[in-house]
């Protein structure tokens, strides 16, 4: 009889032997990687690394499709709330995935977040 293992975080079915244990939780590989590398909004070393990589890459576009879409939407719409940006991208992406993509752009100093009243808005870095 085959044992069905599910990720304790996202619920996806995991093939026996592919499960990961993290703080007494069984996780799929994706959730495990996220647990090991949480988002950091302020990471000077990541900014330094991203800027150096960008200089090394030259004119080559090193952005993912989602990152390019984020920049295009912010250029056209101006500052937006993360949830609004997620709707405008219109994919099956989760907010945490969008935050990860945004974080990469932030480390490249292409975008930034700002608080206006009670709202957090994402905008181009200018």
């Amino acid at each position: 009889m085959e044992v069905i293992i599910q990720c304790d975080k996202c619920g996806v079915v995991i093939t026996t032997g592919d499960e990961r244990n993290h703080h007494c939780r069984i996780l799929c590989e994706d959730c495990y990687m996220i647990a090991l590398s949480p988002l950091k909004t302020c990471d000077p070393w990541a900014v330094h690394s991203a800027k150096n990589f960008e200089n090394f890459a030259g004119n080559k576009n090193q952005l993912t499709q989602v990152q390019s879409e984020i920049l295009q939407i912010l250029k056209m719409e101006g500052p937006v709330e993360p949830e609004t940006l997620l709707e405008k991208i219109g994919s099956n992406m989760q907010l945490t995935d969008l935050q990860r993509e945004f974080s990469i752009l932030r480390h490249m100093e292409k975008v930034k977040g700002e608080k206006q009243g009670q709202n957090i808005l994402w905008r181009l870095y200018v």
Side-chain angles (χ1 to χ4, degrees), residues 59-105:
N59 291 333
K60 298 176 188 172
N61 185 2
Q62 300 298 319
L63 301 178
T64 65
Q65 181 179 351
V66 172
Q67 292 165 355
S68 295
E69 286 180 46
I70 290 170
L71 292 176
Q72 186 64 31
I73 291 168
L74 293 178
K75 184 177 180 180
M76 293 177 64
E77 302 283 329
V80 298
E81 292 182 356
E83 294 79 8
T84 303
L85 185 59
L86 185 62
E87 289 174 15
K88 290 188 178 293
I89 288 178
S91 70
N92 293 333
M93 178 179 279
Q94 299 294 314
L95 184 57
T96 54
D97 296 328
L98 180 64
Q99 290 168 331
R100 190 167 295 280
E101 296 290 340
F102 185 83
S103 180
I104 293 166
L105 290 172

Side-chain angles (χ1 to χ4, degrees), residues 2 5 7 39 42 47 66 71 79-80 86 93 101 107:
E2 185 176 321
I5 303 170
C7 176
L39 290 173
C42 183
V47 171
V66 172
L71 292 176
V80 298
L86 185 62
M93 178 179 279
E101 296 290 340
H107 294 146

